[in-house]
Amino acid sequence: QQPVQSPQAVILREGEDAVINCSSSKALYSVHWYRQKHGEAPVFLMILLKGGEQKGHEKISASFNEKKQQSSLYLTASQLSYSGTYFCGTENMGRRALTFGSGTRLQVQP
Amino acid sequence: DTGVSQDPRHKITKRGQNVTFRCDPISEHNRLYWYRQTLGQGPEFLTYFQNEAQLEKSRLLSDRFSAERPKGSFSTLEIQRTEQGDSAMYLCASSPRPGLGPSSTDTQYFGPGTRLTVL
């Protein structure tokens, strides 16, 4: 079953912060976050593993709440280059492939 | 360029024709995935290979779709008797052998995709 992402879209001014949420109705082993720009392939951002810690990449970090089967992506002091669609991909028990959400469209304006 | 490559990047075909796409994964990645993405949606899983073995197929993969990875390196995805509903971006991803840990999935690196348009 597809994970649910929220919000569906967000518009930010450069320098503002944003949080993107991803929730699943099934037990998760891991959550993978990707960013995709229009017409391009999804680019890997980070992976959150069950039992793992919050991961970070520069001003982008994420958390994984195993009890709630939720993950959140935190974008701090957003830059124009952060614009794109963010997808979470979830790994469930017994499956090797990822199930992706519908995405969150993020637009950072100057 | 050592990333995942796909060929062709664009394909326009008429309904009823057969098409074949190729994916070359990152060298030494033993896992290869095919996904399909339509406008405004996330990638949808189609099938997965570990080396040359096709270990999982989605119910989305009708009998008109077939995928191979004959020598555990590149892979092909063939669609027979194409339909307009097959129009989408077909993405390939590869991942290395996972390390120790609870997750059986390692980071998947995506190729640029093949955009299929069925007229």
Side-chain angles (χ1 to χ4, degrees), chain A residues 32-76:
Chain A
H32 303 225
W33 286 95
Y34 287 82
R35 177 173 58 214
Q36 185 176 32
K37 295 183 181 287
H38 183 69
E40 300 180 7
V43 174
F44 171 77
L45 294 176
M46 64 189 68
I47 179 173
L48 285 303
L49 301 178
K50 182 178 179 179
E53 301 176 354
Q54 181 171 343
K55 302 290 185 180
H57 177 69
E58 296 182 348
K59 296 180 180 177
I60 300 176
S61 61
S63 62
F64 182 16
N65 187 323
E66 297 172 35
K67 288 185 179 180
K68 293 185 177 180
Q69 308 303 331
Q70 291 178 348
S71 178
S72 294
L73 186 72
Y74 307 94
L75 298 104
T76 306

Side-chain angles (χ1 to χ4, degrees), chain A residues 2 8 36 85 87 101-105, chain B residues 37-43:
Chain A
Q2 189 179 35
Q8 290 185 318
Q36 185 176 32
T85 301
F87 293 101
S102 297
T104 295
R105 292 180 299 281
Chain B
Q37 186 176 28
T38 53
L39 197 62
Q41 296 298 315

